[in-house]
Amino acid sequence: MKTLTAAAALALTLAACGQPNDSKAQDGVFADNRVVPGDAVAMKSSFAPVVRTAAPAVVNVSGRGVQQVQDPFWSMFGQGQRSQQVGSVGSGVIVRADGVVVTNAHVVNGMQEIKVVLNDRREFSARVILADERSDIAVMQLEGVGESLPVLNIDDREEQQIGDLVLAIGNPFGVGQTVTNGIISALNRTETGISDSGSFIQTDAAINPGNSGGALVDMDGDLIGINTAIFSRSGTSAGVGFAVPASMVKRVVDSAVGGAKAVVRPWLGVKGDSVSADIARSLGLERPQGIIVTQVYDGGPGARAGLREGDVITAIDGAEINDQGGLNFRVGTREPNQTVQVSILRDGRAQTVNARVQTLPGDADIEKAATIDAAALAGVQAITLNPALADRLGGDPFANGVILVRVDPRSYAQRGIGLQSGDVVVAVNDRPVTTVGQLSNIQRGARLTVQRRGQQGILLAR
């Protein structure tokens, strides 16, 4: 189970943010048929019928292997920390009767031998058919399945509301299957530090180490999320847990079952900042909402749909968004070439435009890196950033520059200049760098503007 940092915790002291709820209570009954318990008998109702439906499809995942504990961007350059994992490592959910199981990518990361144990104690070997680190969802196929297995239905309709009852089912601490209950305490959580393209369900149902990959279930017995992280200073449940919504889970499962080796995320080709209270006042908005567009990619889906800088995007297909992460999530759950409705405010007027989302342009194959032909950078392999490559590396698709894929630790580039694998050179002598060829003329005394782990600085080729 992932545990969030203290910095991420500060963001979570904000009030719970979710989609507006226009339902009004009348005599304890809500307009959408939700019912508030009216007496002591109703309060004593049991969750047993839901558990009987859901629990058989929740499994324990164990394995043996070496895991990388590191940011995905930097681990690809061989700088991850290794730890041996043996025995129970998490939970999973059977979503197809032929043995397709969903879990967290961090649960199976580095596992060479995976064993899945069902609630009825049957055991199967499993292999990972797709692991998507961006969503932290992995899909496995059980081996030797000879009969239909119990499954959980993936409910991706996103009808949940804050306050709805939920169950968390998993295998915390490896003690055996455990069920805890709580409520949905927030929806559309994006500023969690878990992912730059995630929008999570927050729950106060007790989630502990080993619950990773387990089920978050509604009162219909349907899977509405995969438990993936907790906020805790102690490493145990503090009542703040996060689940990947079923809409993203289904997107990854459909990709895996369809034979894809990676989840292809489309984009809108726009970048923006959250609308603050000050910006809302300046625009005459009743409240801070949406993101104000600051960049539109030339020729991208947003540009073709007529979006422009200064527009305020308030919703995608009716789902409210308030930051870039929310926009990335909403668009990322769609298939390439699908049309989405983009709700915007332009010059104080509400409008809706249709945009056909597309895959990011460019080649994401980092193996095509070229060796730089320059004495000062001998031993360096680099490739020009493009939207597809930047997105694959977890960066900004709008970023420009040249990324250094490999820097020989014995080279002058590292020992003399201080360059490292993963650095992005954005300028030389204050002139923007947009191709690898521009680094071929590096001379002693040149000033390199370099971005490293979100920070920018100057290095000198002495």
Side-chain angles (χ1 to χ4, degrees), residues 73 267 271 295-298 361 383-391 393 395-404 422-428 431-436 438-439 449-452 455-456:
F73 180 94
W267 79 324
K271 182 179 178 181
Q295 286 182 265
V296 180
Y297 192 83
D298 289 341
I383 189 170
T384 303
L385 278 177
N386 59 65
L389 178 60
D391 183 70
L393 299 177
D396 179 5
F398 283 78
N400 293 313
V402 170
I403 184 169
L404 309 185
D423 285 350
V424 178
V425 181
V426 297
V428 174
R431 294 182 179 179
V433 172
T434 57
T435 68
V436 174
Q438 291 175 263
L439 298 184
T449 304
V450 175
Q451 292 180 350
R452 179 183 299 166
Q455 303 295 318
Q456 183 165 301

Side-chain angles (χ1 to χ4, degrees), residues 191 270-277 279-280 283 285 288-295 310-314 321-325 327 396:
E191 297 179 353
V270 298
K271 182 179 178 181
D273 295 327
S274 297
V275 174
S276 65
I279 293 176
L283 296 174
L285 302 181
Q289 63 175 132
I291 66 170
I292 185 166
V293 177
T294 57
Q295 286 182 265
D311 287 344
V312 177
I313 300 176
T314 58
I321 61 168
N322 287 299
D323 52 34
Q324 187 70 45
L327 176 65
D396 179 5

Side-chain angles (χ1 to χ4, degrees), residues 2-15 189-195 200 202 229-233 240 242:
K2 288 187 176 179
T3 303
L4 303 186
T5 63
L10 295 177
L12 296 177
T13 61
L14 302 176
R189 282 295 201 201
T190 53
E191 297 179 353
T192 60
I194 304 171
S195 168
F200 298 90
Q202 182 180 323
I230 58 174
F231 165 63
S232 173
R233 290 188 173 89
V240 182
F242 301 96

Side-chain angles (χ1 to χ4, degrees), residues 107-392:
V107 168
V108 297
N109 175 33
M111 294 293 104
Q112 284 80 47
E113 300 176 14
I114 301 174
K115 182 175 68 174
V116 168
V117 181
L118 275 60
N119 193 34
D120 62 10
R121 302 182 68 179
R122 282 182 291 172
E123 297 183 4
F124 295 90
S125 295
R127 57 184 175 86
V128 176
I129 55 177
L130 193 155
D132 181 53
E133 292 186 351
R134 293 285 294 278
S135 63
D136 197 22
I137 294 296
V139 181
M140 301 184 293
Q141 175 65 59
L142 303 187
E143 307 283 4
V145 176
E147 59 185 276
S148 293
L149 298 178
V151 301
L152 267 182
N153 174 57
I154 301 177
D155 182 357
D156 63 340
R157 295 172 295 176
E158 297 189 324
E159 296 176 339
Q160 298 81 34
Q161 295 184 20
I162 296 172
D164 282 353
L165 288 168
V166 289
L167 301 180
I169 309 177
N171 196 281
F173 305 110
V175 298
Q177 191 175 89
T178 301
V179 180
T180 56
N181 81 286
I183 63 169
I184 293 175
S185 47
L187 293 167
N188 305 320
R189 282 295 201 201
T190 53
E191 297 179 353
T192 60
I194 304 171
S195 168
D196 65 347
S197 59
S199 182
F200 298 90
I201 300 171
Q202 182 180 323
T203 177
D204 69 346
I207 297 173
N208 289 291
N211 271 112
S212 282
L216 190 68
V217 177
D218 65 12
M219 292 300 99
D220 292 325
D222 291 332
L223 181 72
I224 62 170
I226 293 293
N227 299 317
T228 190
I230 58 174
F231 165 63
S232 173
R233 290 188 173 89
S234 65
T236 56
S237 177
V240 182
F242 301 96
V244 179
S247 56
M248 180 56 75
V249 175
K250 187 175 187 299
R251 178 83 168 83
V252 180
V253 171
D254 288 346
S255 296
V257 172
K261 300 302 180 183
V263 178
V264 179
R265 286 178 172 80
W267 79 324
L268 188 59
V270 298
K271 182 179 178 181
D273 295 327
S274 297
V275 174
S276 65
D278 289 339
I279 293 176
R281 281 192 292 269
S282 70
L283 296 174
L285 302 181
E286 294 181 358
R287 64 182 178 89
Q289 63 175 132
I291 66 170
I292 185 166
V293 177
T294 57
Q295 286 182 265
V296 180
Y297 192 83
D298 289 341
R304 292 196 297 271
L307 294 174
R308 58 194 190 211
E309 292 181 14
D311 287 344
V312 177
I313 300 176
T314 58
I316 299 291
D317 288 336
E320 182 176 322
I321 61 168
N322 287 299
D323 52 34
Q324 187 70 45
L327 176 65
N328 293 344
F329 173 79
R330 289 296 165 191
V331 174
T333 59
R334 304 304 189 258
E335 295 282 350
N337 298 318
Q338 277 189 334
T339 298
V340 298
Q341 287 189 333
V342 185
S343 301
I344 65 172
L345 294 173
R346 178 181 293 169
D347 300 326
R349 294 190 302 174
Q351 302 180 36
T352 299
V353 300
N354 293 321
R356 179 172 291 183
V357 295
Q358 302 284 345
T359 56
L360 284 81
D363 191 340
D365 187 0
I366 203 165
E367 299 301 324
K368 294 183 179 179
T371 300
I372 297 177
D373 184 18
L377 298 183
V380 175
Q381 292 182 328
I383 189 170
T384 303
L385 278 177
N386 59 65
L389 178 60
D391 183 70
R392 174 189 167 183

